[in-house]
Amino acid sequence: MPLHRGADRAAGMPRSERDELRRLSINPFYGEADPTSEMTSAPPMHRLPDGPTPPDTAYQLVHDELMLDGNSRLNLATFVTTWMEPQATALMTECRDKNMIDKDEYPRTAELERRCVAMLADLWNAPDPATTVGCSTTGSSEACMLAGMALKRRWAGRNAARYPATARPNLVMGVNVQVCWDKFCNFWEVESRQVPMEGDRFHLDPQAAAELCDENTIGVVAVLGSTFDGSYEPVAELCAALDALQERTGLDIPVHVDGASGAMVAPFLDEDLVWDFRLPRVSSINTSGHKYGLVYPGVGWALWRSPAELPEELVFRVNYLGGDMPTFALNFSRPGAQVVAQYYTFLRLGRDGYRAVQQTARDIAGKLAGRIEELGDFRLLTRGNELPVFAFTTAPGVTAFDVFDVSRRLRERGWLVPAYTFPAHREDLSVLRVVCRNGFSADLATLLVADLKGVLPELREQEHPLGRDKSAATAFHH
Ligand SMILES: *Cc1c(COP(=O)(O)O)cnc(C)c1O
Protein backbone atom coordinates (compact mmCIF):
# COMPACT_ATOMS: atom_id res chain seq x y z
CA MET A 1 0.00 0.00 0.00
CA PRO A 2 1.47 3.42 -0.93
CA LEU A 3 1.71 6.33 1.49
CA HIS A 4 -1.47 8.38 1.91
CA ARG A 5 -2.44 10.06 -1.30
CA GLY A 6 -5.31 11.82 -3.01
CA ALA A 7 -8.62 10.21 -3.92
CA ASP A 8 -8.66 7.51 -6.60
CA ARG A 9 -9.29 8.97 -9.98
CA ALA A 10 -11.97 6.99 -11.76
CA ALA A 11 -10.71 7.29 -15.31
CA GLY A 12 -12.70 9.44 -17.66
CA MET A 13 -15.37 10.45 -15.18
CA PRO A 14 -16.09 14.15 -14.68
CA ARG A 15 -15.08 15.36 -11.26
CA SER A 16 -18.60 16.21 -10.15
CA GLU A 17 -19.77 12.66 -10.87
CA ARG A 18 -16.77 11.16 -9.09
CA ASP A 19 -17.56 13.20 -6.02
CA GLU A 20 -21.13 11.96 -6.04
CA LEU A 21 -19.74 8.47 -5.63
CA ARG A 22 -17.62 9.30 -2.60
CA ARG A 23 -19.90 11.07 -0.18
CA LEU A 24 -20.64 10.46 3.44
CA SER A 25 -24.21 9.31 3.79
CA ILE A 26 -26.40 11.24 6.16
CA ASN A 27 -29.15 9.79 8.28
CA PRO A 28 -31.94 12.42 8.37
CA PHE A 29 -32.36 11.66 12.06
CA TYR A 30 -28.85 13.01 12.73
CA GLY A 31 -29.98 16.55 11.89
CA GLU A 32 -29.93 19.35 14.41
CA ALA A 33 -33.68 19.90 14.54
CA ASP A 34 -36.03 18.96 11.74
CA PRO A 35 -35.22 15.62 10.05
CA THR A 36 -36.99 16.59 6.85
CA SER A 37 -35.29 19.90 6.22
CA GLU A 38 -31.84 19.86 7.79
CA MET A 39 -30.00 17.20 5.88
CA THR A 40 -30.01 18.35 2.34
CA SER A 41 -26.37 17.82 1.46
CA ALA A 42 -23.95 14.93 2.02
CA PRO A 43 -20.37 16.15 2.55
CA PRO A 44 -17.74 14.73 0.17
CA MET A 45 -15.14 12.34 1.65
CA HIS A 46 -11.99 13.36 -0.16
CA ARG A 47 -12.48 17.07 -0.79
CA LEU A 48 -12.95 19.87 1.71
CA PRO A 49 -16.74 20.37 1.81
CA ASP A 50 -17.99 23.66 0.34
CA GLY A 51 -19.86 24.61 3.47
CA PRO A 52 -20.07 23.70 7.16
CA THR A 53 -21.81 20.72 8.75
CA PRO A 54 -23.61 21.22 12.09
CA PRO A 55 -21.41 20.09 14.99
CA ASP A 56 -23.67 17.30 16.27
CA THR A 57 -23.95 15.88 12.78
CA ALA A 58 -20.21 16.11 12.13
CA TYR A 59 -19.54 14.48 15.47
CA GLN A 60 -21.93 11.64 14.76
CA LEU A 61 -20.42 10.99 11.30
CA VAL A 62 -16.88 10.76 12.64
CA HIS A 63 -17.91 8.82 15.71
CA ASP A 64 -19.80 6.25 13.64
CA GLU A 65 -16.90 5.61 11.32
CA LEU A 66 -14.53 5.10 14.26
CA MET A 67 -16.76 2.38 15.71
CA LEU A 68 -15.00 0.02 13.32
CA ASP A 69 -11.61 0.59 14.91
CA GLY A 70 -10.75 -2.34 17.17
CA ASN A 71 -11.27 -2.05 20.91
CA SER A 72 -7.89 -0.86 22.20
CA ARG A 73 -8.22 -2.74 25.51
CA LEU A 74 -8.49 -6.03 23.60
CA ASN A 75 -5.47 -5.14 21.48
CA LEU A 76 -2.82 -7.50 22.85
CA ALA A 77 -0.46 -6.42 20.06
CA THR A 78 0.28 -2.98 21.43
CA PHE A 79 2.69 -1.97 24.17
CA VAL A 80 1.05 1.42 24.37
CA THR A 81 -1.10 2.49 27.31
CA THR A 82 -4.83 2.01 26.73
CA TRP A 83 -6.16 2.82 30.17
CA MET A 84 -5.56 5.75 32.51
CA GLU A 85 -7.40 7.11 35.52
CA PRO A 86 -10.10 9.75 35.02
CA GLN A 87 -7.92 12.21 36.98
CA ALA A 88 -5.13 11.79 34.43
CA THR A 89 -7.62 12.29 31.62
CA ALA A 90 -8.85 15.46 33.35
CA LEU A 91 -5.31 16.83 33.58
CA MET A 92 -4.64 15.98 29.96
CA THR A 93 -7.84 17.74 28.93
CA GLU A 94 -6.81 20.79 30.95
CA CYS A 95 -3.42 20.84 29.18
CA ARG A 96 -4.40 19.89 25.65
CA ASP A 97 -3.84 23.48 24.47
CA LYS A 98 -0.32 23.76 25.87
CA ASN A 99 2.58 23.56 23.46
CA MET A 100 5.62 21.95 25.06
CA ILE A 101 8.01 24.22 23.14
CA ASP A 102 6.57 27.41 24.67
CA LYS A 103 8.72 27.15 27.76
CA ASP A 104 8.34 30.85 28.47
CA GLU A 105 4.53 30.82 28.28
CA TYR A 106 4.12 27.55 30.20
CA PRO A 107 7.00 27.56 32.71
CA ARG A 108 5.29 25.12 35.08
CA THR A 109 4.88 22.52 32.34
CA ALA A 110 8.57 23.01 31.53
CA GLU A 111 9.37 22.49 35.20
CA LEU A 112 7.36 19.26 35.35
CA GLU A 113 9.32 17.95 32.36
CA ARG A 114 12.55 18.75 34.21
CA ARG A 115 11.36 16.93 37.33
CA CYS A 116 10.48 13.87 35.26
CA VAL A 117 14.00 13.79 33.78
CA ALA A 118 15.47 14.10 37.29
CA MET A 119 13.29 11.25 38.56
CA LEU A 120 14.34 9.02 35.66
CA ALA A 121 18.03 9.87 36.19
CA ASP A 122 17.65 8.71 39.78
CA LEU A 123 15.61 5.65 38.81
CA TRP A 124 18.25 4.60 36.26
CA ASN A 125 21.09 5.08 38.75
CA ALA A 126 22.88 7.94 37.04
CA PRO A 127 26.22 8.45 38.83
CA ASP A 128 25.41 12.13 39.29
CA PRO A 129 21.70 12.84 38.67
CA ALA A 130 22.43 16.56 38.94
CA THR A 131 24.51 16.50 35.75
CA THR A 132 22.50 13.90 33.83
CA VAL A 133 20.85 15.52 30.83
CA GLY A 134 17.63 14.49 29.14
CA CYS A 135 14.41 15.51 27.48
CA SER A 136 10.91 14.40 26.67
CA THR A 137 10.03 13.31 23.14
CA THR A 138 6.95 12.09 21.27
CA GLY A 139 7.98 8.50 21.97
CA SER A 140 10.93 6.16 21.93
CA SER A 141 11.38 6.52 18.17
CA GLU A 142 12.21 10.20 18.47
CA ALA A 143 14.32 9.46 21.57
CA CYS A 144 16.28 6.82 19.61
CA MET A 145 16.85 9.24 16.73
CA LEU A 146 18.28 11.77 19.20
CA ALA A 147 20.44 9.19 20.96
CA GLY A 148 21.69 7.82 17.65
CA MET A 149 22.50 11.33 16.44
CA ALA A 150 24.50 12.02 19.60
CA LEU A 151 26.47 8.78 19.07
CA LYS A 152 27.13 9.65 15.44
CA ARG A 153 28.20 13.20 16.23
CA ARG A 154 30.57 12.02 18.96
CA TRP A 155 32.12 9.49 16.60
CA ALA A 156 32.42 12.17 13.88
CA GLY A 157 34.15 14.44 16.38
CA ARG A 158 36.64 11.70 17.28
CA ASN A 159 37.21 10.91 13.60
CA ALA A 160 37.25 14.45 12.25
CA ALA A 161 40.14 13.61 9.96
CA ARG A 162 38.86 10.32 8.51
CA TYR A 163 35.10 10.92 8.32
CA PRO A 164 35.00 13.53 5.55
CA ALA A 165 37.22 11.27 3.45
CA THR A 166 35.91 7.72 3.27
CA ALA A 167 34.96 6.44 6.70
CA ARG A 168 31.30 5.39 6.89
CA PRO A 169 29.84 5.12 10.39
CA ASN A 170 28.06 1.95 11.49
CA LEU A 171 25.81 0.98 14.38
CA VAL A 172 25.75 -2.55 15.80
CA MET A 173 22.52 -4.15 17.06
CA GLY A 174 20.55 -7.39 17.13
CA VAL A 175 18.33 -8.22 14.14
CA ASN A 176 15.42 -8.08 16.62
CA VAL A 177 15.66 -4.29 17.12
CA GLN A 178 12.52 -2.24 16.72
CA VAL A 179 12.00 -0.65 13.31
CA CYS A 180 13.03 2.79 14.66
CA TRP A 181 16.69 1.69 14.46
CA ASP A 182 16.33 0.79 10.78
CA LYS A 183 14.81 4.24 10.35
CA PHE A 184 17.65 5.90 12.21
CA CYS A 185 20.26 4.18 10.04
CA ASN A 186 18.35 5.01 6.86
CA PHE A 187 17.61 8.66 7.69
CA TRP A 188 21.02 9.46 9.15
CA GLU A 189 23.08 7.42 6.67
CA VAL A 190 24.62 5.01 9.10
CA GLU A 191 25.34 1.40 8.16
CA SER A 192 23.22 -0.98 10.20
CA ARG A 193 25.16 -4.07 11.36
CA GLN A 194 22.80 -6.67 12.71
CA VAL A 195 23.58 -9.80 14.69
CA PRO A 196 21.22 -12.53 13.41
CA MET A 197 19.15 -14.86 15.59
CA GLU A 198 20.65 -18.30 16.06
CA GLY A 199 18.80 -21.45 17.21
CA ASP A 200 16.95 -20.60 20.42
CA ARG A 201 18.72 -17.25 20.83
CA PHE A 202 16.21 -14.62 19.75
CA HIS A 203 18.21 -11.52 20.63
CA LEU A 204 21.69 -9.99 20.65
CA ASP A 205 24.71 -12.14 21.43
CA PRO A 206 27.35 -9.99 23.22
CA GLN A 207 30.33 -11.72 21.64
CA ALA A 208 28.89 -11.59 18.13
CA ALA A 209 28.11 -7.89 18.63
CA ALA A 210 31.66 -7.11 19.75
CA GLU A 211 33.00 -8.93 16.69
CA LEU A 212 30.99 -6.65 14.39
CA CYS A 213 32.58 -3.52 15.87
CA ASP A 214 35.40 -1.64 14.20
CA GLU A 215 36.88 1.85 14.19
CA ASN A 216 33.74 3.18 12.44
CA THR A 217 31.27 1.85 15.01
CA ILE A 218 29.40 4.74 16.65
CA GLY A 219 27.85 2.47 19.29
CA VAL A 220 26.00 -0.73 20.09
CA VAL A 221 22.27 -0.76 20.83
CA ALA A 222 20.98 -3.13 23.51
CA VAL A 223 17.23 -3.63 23.76
CA LEU A 224 15.47 -4.05 27.11
CA GLY A 225 13.43 -5.95 26.11
CA SER A 226 12.90 -7.31 22.67
CA THR A 227 9.60 -6.63 20.95
CA PHE A 228 9.75 -10.08 19.33
CA ASP A 229 9.50 -12.15 22.49
CA GLY A 230 9.70 -9.85 25.54
CA SER A 231 13.21 -11.04 26.53
CA TYR A 232 15.83 -8.71 27.99
CA GLU A 233 19.10 -8.43 26.09
CA PRO A 234 22.20 -9.07 28.26
CA VAL A 235 23.36 -5.46 28.69
CA ALA A 236 26.02 -6.15 31.35
CA GLU A 237 27.49 -9.04 29.32
CA LEU A 238 27.54 -6.80 26.25
CA CYS A 239 29.43 -4.11 28.18
CA ALA A 240 31.90 -6.76 29.40
CA ALA A 241 32.46 -7.99 25.84
CA LEU A 242 33.10 -4.40 24.76
CA ASP A 243 35.47 -3.89 27.72
CA ALA A 244 37.46 -6.90 26.49
CA LEU A 245 37.40 -5.49 22.96
CA GLN A 246 38.81 -2.22 24.25
CA GLU A 247 41.58 -4.04 26.07
CA ARG A 248 42.50 -5.93 22.91
CA THR A 249 42.12 -3.15 20.34
CA GLY A 250 41.79 0.20 22.10
CA LEU A 251 38.33 0.73 20.56
CA ASP A 252 36.04 2.41 23.10
CA ILE A 253 32.47 1.71 21.92
CA PRO A 254 29.57 3.30 23.83
CA VAL A 255 26.28 1.46 24.48
CA HIS A 256 22.80 2.88 24.11
CA VAL A 257 20.04 0.99 25.93
CA ASP A 258 16.71 1.05 24.13
CA GLY A 259 14.53 0.57 27.19
CA ALA A 260 11.30 1.50 25.43
CA SER A 261 9.44 -1.00 27.61
CA GLY A 262 11.97 -2.49 30.02
CA ALA A 263 13.38 0.74 31.44
CA MET A 264 10.03 1.17 33.19
CA VAL A 265 9.77 -2.49 34.26
CA ALA A 266 13.24 -3.64 35.34
CA PRO A 267 13.85 -0.84 37.91
CA PHE A 268 10.78 -2.02 39.82
CA LEU A 269 10.77 -5.77 39.32
CA ASP A 270 14.41 -6.71 38.64
CA GLU A 271 16.35 -4.49 41.01
CA ASP A 272 19.37 -6.81 40.97
CA LEU A 273 19.64 -6.73 37.19
CA VAL A 274 22.42 -4.28 36.29
CA TRP A 275 21.52 -2.78 32.93
CA ASP A 276 21.48 1.00 33.43
CA PHE A 277 23.90 3.87 34.19
CA ARG A 278 25.56 1.68 36.84
CA LEU A 279 27.42 0.26 33.83
CA PRO A 280 30.00 2.92 32.90
CA ARG A 281 29.75 1.99 29.22
CA VAL A 282 26.03 2.82 29.08
CA SER A 283 26.03 6.28 27.64
CA SER A 284 22.32 6.90 27.03
CA ILE A 285 18.93 5.31 27.71
CA ASN A 286 15.48 5.87 26.22
CA THR A 287 12.03 4.78 27.29
CA SER A 288 8.46 5.22 26.08
CA GLY A 289 6.44 7.06 28.72
CA HIS A 290 3.43 5.74 26.84
CA LYS A 291 4.35 2.06 27.29
CA TYR A 292 5.11 0.80 30.82
CA GLY A 293 5.46 4.45 31.85
CA LEU A 294 1.64 4.13 31.87
CA VAL A 295 0.71 7.33 29.98
CA TYR A 296 -1.50 7.61 26.89
CA PRO A 297 0.47 8.12 23.63
CA GLY A 298 2.73 9.98 22.86
CA VAL A 299 5.52 10.66 25.25
CA GLY A 300 9.04 9.28 25.42
CA TRP A 301 12.25 10.11 27.27
CA ALA A 302 15.93 10.20 26.37
CA LEU A 303 18.69 10.60 28.96
CA TRP A 304 22.47 10.90 28.66
CA ARG A 305 24.84 9.94 31.45
CA SER A 306 26.47 13.40 31.41
CA PRO A 307 26.66 16.47 29.18
CA ALA A 308 29.86 15.00 27.66
CA GLU A 309 27.70 12.33 25.98
CA LEU A 310 25.51 14.89 24.22
CA PRO A 311 27.54 17.14 21.89
CA GLU A 312 26.72 20.75 22.69
CA GLU A 313 26.27 21.74 19.03
CA LEU A 314 23.16 19.52 18.78
CA VAL A 315 21.34 21.45 21.49
CA PHE A 316 19.24 24.48 20.53
CA ARG A 317 18.03 27.22 22.80
CA VAL A 318 14.58 28.70 23.25
CA ASN A 319 13.46 31.64 25.29
CA TYR A 320 12.60 30.75 28.88
CA LEU A 321 11.62 33.42 31.37
CA GLY A 322 13.80 35.84 29.51
CA GLY A 323 16.74 33.43 29.58
CA ASP A 324 17.90 30.49 27.54
CA MET A 325 16.35 27.05 27.82
CA PRO A 326 18.21 24.29 25.98
CA THR A 327 16.07 21.92 23.89
CA PHE A 328 16.96 18.79 21.97
CA ALA A 329 14.14 17.52 19.78
CA LEU A 330 13.17 16.75 16.19
CA ASN A 331 9.80 18.45 16.54
CA PHE A 332 9.16 22.05 17.40
CA SER A 333 5.52 22.12 18.53
CA ARG A 334 4.45 19.14 20.62
CA PRO A 335 1.65 18.50 23.10
CA GLY A 336 2.42 19.26 26.75
CA ALA A 337 -0.45 17.16 28.13
CA GLN A 338 1.43 13.86 27.99
CA VAL A 339 4.37 15.24 29.95
CA VAL A 340 1.96 16.52 32.60
CA ALA A 341 0.30 13.10 32.67
CA GLN A 342 3.72 11.46 33.12
CA TYR A 343 4.46 13.66 36.11
CA TYR A 344 1.00 12.89 37.52
CA THR A 345 1.63 9.16 37.15
CA PHE A 346 5.06 9.37 38.82
CA LEU A 347 3.50 11.29 41.70
CA ARG A 348 0.45 9.06 41.87
CA LEU A 349 2.23 5.70 41.92
CA GLY A 350 5.71 6.23 43.30
CA ARG A 351 8.13 3.31 43.26
CA ASP A 352 5.85 1.02 45.24
CA GLY A 353 2.87 1.79 43.04
CA TYR A 354 4.79 1.12 39.83
CA ARG A 355 6.12 -2.09 41.34
CA ALA A 356 2.60 -3.27 42.18
CA VAL A 357 1.21 -2.40 38.74
CA GLN A 358 4.07 -4.00 36.80
CA GLN A 359 4.13 -7.06 39.05
CA THR A 360 0.43 -7.58 38.41
CA ALA A 361 1.02 -7.40 34.65
CA ARG A 362 3.90 -9.86 34.91
CA ASP A 363 1.92 -12.26 37.13
CA ILE A 364 -0.90 -12.24 34.60
CA ALA A 365 1.54 -12.82 31.73
CA GLY A 366 3.16 -15.77 33.52
CA LYS A 367 -0.14 -17.40 34.43
CA LEU A 368 -1.60 -16.86 30.98
CA ALA A 369 1.51 -18.32 29.33
CA GLY A 370 1.24 -21.38 31.60
CA ARG A 371 -2.42 -21.92 30.77
CA ILE A 372 -1.75 -21.63 27.05
CA GLU A 373 1.04 -24.20 27.42
CA GLU A 374 -1.34 -26.55 29.25
CA LEU A 375 -3.68 -26.60 26.26
CA GLY A 376 -1.11 -28.85 24.60
CA ASP A 377 -1.31 -27.30 21.14
CA PHE A 378 1.37 -24.70 21.73
CA ARG A 379 5.02 -24.33 22.64
CA LEU A 380 6.16 -21.26 24.60
CA LEU A 381 9.25 -19.37 23.45
CA THR A 382 9.16 -17.06 26.46
CA ARG A 383 7.07 -17.09 29.63
CA GLY A 384 6.49 -13.41 30.34
CA ASN A 385 9.00 -13.33 33.21
CA GLU A 386 11.05 -10.40 31.85
CA LEU A 387 8.78 -7.96 30.04
CA PRO A 388 5.19 -9.03 30.81
CA VAL A 389 5.15 -10.28 27.22
CA PHE A 390 5.44 -13.76 25.79
CA ALA A 391 5.64 -15.42 22.41
CA PHE A 392 4.44 -18.91 21.52
CA THR A 393 4.16 -21.09 18.47
CA THR A 394 2.34 -24.30 17.59
CA ALA A 395 3.58 -27.50 19.26
CA PRO A 396 5.82 -29.76 17.14
CA GLY A 397 3.07 -32.28 16.23
CA VAL A 398 0.53 -29.64 15.15
CA THR A 399 -0.01 -29.74 11.39
CA ALA A 400 -3.70 -28.85 11.03
CA PHE A 401 -3.32 -25.13 11.70
CA ASP A 402 -0.66 -22.46 12.13
CA VAL A 403 -0.25 -19.30 14.19
CA PHE A 404 -1.84 -17.19 11.45
CA ASP A 405 -5.01 -19.29 11.66
CA VAL A 406 -5.08 -18.79 15.43
CA SER A 407 -4.63 -15.02 15.10
CA ARG A 408 -7.46 -14.81 12.57
CA ARG A 409 -9.85 -16.94 14.62
CA LEU A 410 -9.18 -14.93 17.81
CA ARG A 411 -9.91 -11.78 15.86
CA GLU A 412 -13.42 -13.07 15.25
CA ARG A 413 -13.90 -12.88 19.03
CA GLY A 414 -12.51 -9.34 19.26
CA TRP A 415 -8.95 -10.19 20.38
CA LEU A 416 -6.02 -8.75 18.48
CA VAL A 417 -3.13 -11.19 18.93
CA PRO A 418 -0.52 -10.67 16.22
CA ALA A 419 1.17 -13.54 14.39
CA TYR A 420 4.45 -12.90 12.61
CA THR A 421 7.57 -14.55 11.25
CA PHE A 422 10.96 -14.14 12.93
CA PRO A 423 13.87 -12.44 11.12
CA ALA A 424 17.25 -13.85 9.95
CA HIS A 425 18.24 -16.70 10.65
CA ARG A 426 14.95 -17.95 12.09
CA GLU A 427 12.60 -17.10 9.22
CA ASP A 428 11.31 -20.66 9.61
CA LEU A 429 9.70 -19.71 12.93
CA SER A 430 6.30 -17.99 13.18
CA VAL A 431 4.84 -16.97 16.52
CA LEU A 432 1.95 -15.35 18.31
CA ARG A 433 2.74 -12.64 20.86
CA VAL A 434 0.74 -11.39 23.82
CA VAL A 435 1.57 -8.07 25.54
CA CYS A 436 0.08 -7.87 29.04
CA ARG A 437 -0.48 -4.25 30.01
CA ASN A 438 -2.07 -2.50 32.91
CA GLY A 439 -5.79 -2.84 32.28
CA PHE A 440 -5.54 -6.38 30.87
CA SER A 441 -6.88 -7.99 34.01
CA ALA A 442 -6.68 -11.58 35.21
CA ASP A 443 -10.38 -11.82 34.38
CA LEU A 444 -9.81 -10.72 30.78
CA ALA A 445 -6.94 -13.23 30.56
CA THR A 446 -9.34 -15.98 31.66
CA LEU A 447 -11.76 -14.93 28.94
CA LEU A 448 -8.94 -15.02 26.37
CA VAL A 449 -8.06 -18.61 27.36
CA ALA A 450 -11.75 -19.56 27.12
CA ASP A 451 -11.97 -18.05 23.64
CA LEU A 452 -8.76 -19.77 22.57
CA LYS A 453 -10.14 -23.08 23.87
CA GLY A 454 -13.33 -22.33 21.98
CA VAL A 455 -11.65 -22.01 18.58
CA LEU A 456 -9.26 -24.97 18.99
CA PRO A 457 -11.69 -27.84 18.17
CA GLU A 458 -12.38 -26.37 14.73
CA LEU A 459 -8.74 -25.52 14.14
CA ARG A 460 -7.74 -29.11 14.97
CA GLU A 461 -10.26 -30.35 12.40
CA GLN A 462 -8.68 -28.39 9.55
CA GLU A 463 -6.96 -30.51 6.92
CA HIS A 464 -4.05 -28.12 6.82
CA PRO A 465 -3.24 -24.50 7.68
CA LEU A 466 -5.41 -22.22 5.57
CA GLY A 467 -2.34 -20.43 4.26
CA ARG A 468 -4.11 -17.12 4.08
CA ASP A 469 -2.20 -14.07 3.00
CA LYS A 470 0.16 -13.77 5.93
CA SER A 471 0.48 -10.04 5.80
CA ALA A 472 -3.29 -9.76 6.06
CA ALA A 473 -3.46 -12.10 9.04
CA THR A 474 -0.76 -10.27 10.89
CA ALA A 475 -1.10 -7.16 12.96
CA PHE A 476 1.88 -4.83 13.04
CA HIS A 477 3.90 -6.40 15.78
CA HIS A 478 6.32 -3.70 16.81
C1 LIG B 1 8.05 0.57 20.95
C2 LIG B 1 9.49 0.51 20.80
C3 LIG B 1 10.17 1.50 20.13
C4 LIG B 1 9.46 2.66 19.48
O1 LIG B 1 8.84 3.41 20.47
P1 LIG B 1 7.64 4.44 20.21
O2 LIG B 1 7.43 4.98 21.56
O3 LIG B 1 6.51 3.61 19.70
O4 LIG B 1 8.10 5.44 19.21
C5 LIG B 1 11.55 1.43 20.06
N1 LIG B 1 12.21 0.41 20.61
C6 LIG B 1 11.60 -0.59 21.27
C7 LIG B 1 12.40 -1.69 21.90
C8 LIG B 1 10.20 -0.58 21.39
O5 LIG B 1 9.60 -1.55 22.08
Side-chain angles (χ1 to χ4, degrees), residues 139-141 178 180 223 225 227 258 260-261 288 290-291:
S140 277
S141 300
Q178 209 265 356
C180 74
V223 181
T227 55
D258 177 357
S261 301
S288 294
H290 56 219
K291 291 185 176 176

Side-chain angles (χ1 to χ4, degrees), residues 61-88:
L61 285 173
V62 179
H63 173 88
D64 285 5
E65 183 152 5
L66 291 175
M67 288 193 303
L68 287 168
D69 273 349
N71 178 338
S72 68
R73 296 280 297 283
L74 300 182
N75 180 2
L76 302 183
T78 187
F79 285 84
V80 171
T81 299
T82 50
W83 184 87
M84 285 188 84
E85 291 169 316
Q87 290 83 351

Side-chain angles (χ1 to χ4, degrees), residues 233-281:
E233 290 194 329
V235 188
E237 290 80 354
L238 172 67
C239 289
L242 293 172
D243 289 347
L245 177 78
Q246 183 171 11
E247 254 170 53
R248 275 200 318 277
T249 64
L251 293 173
D252 183 7
I253 312 274
V255 168
H256 172 81
V257 180
D258 177 357
S261 301
M264 289 306 290
V265 175
F268 307 110
L269 301 189
D270 309 287
E271 284 179 84
D272 296 336
L273 181 75
V274 179
W275 63 274
D276 54 17
F277 288 123
R278 280 168 287 181
L279 297 166
R281 202 168 279 283

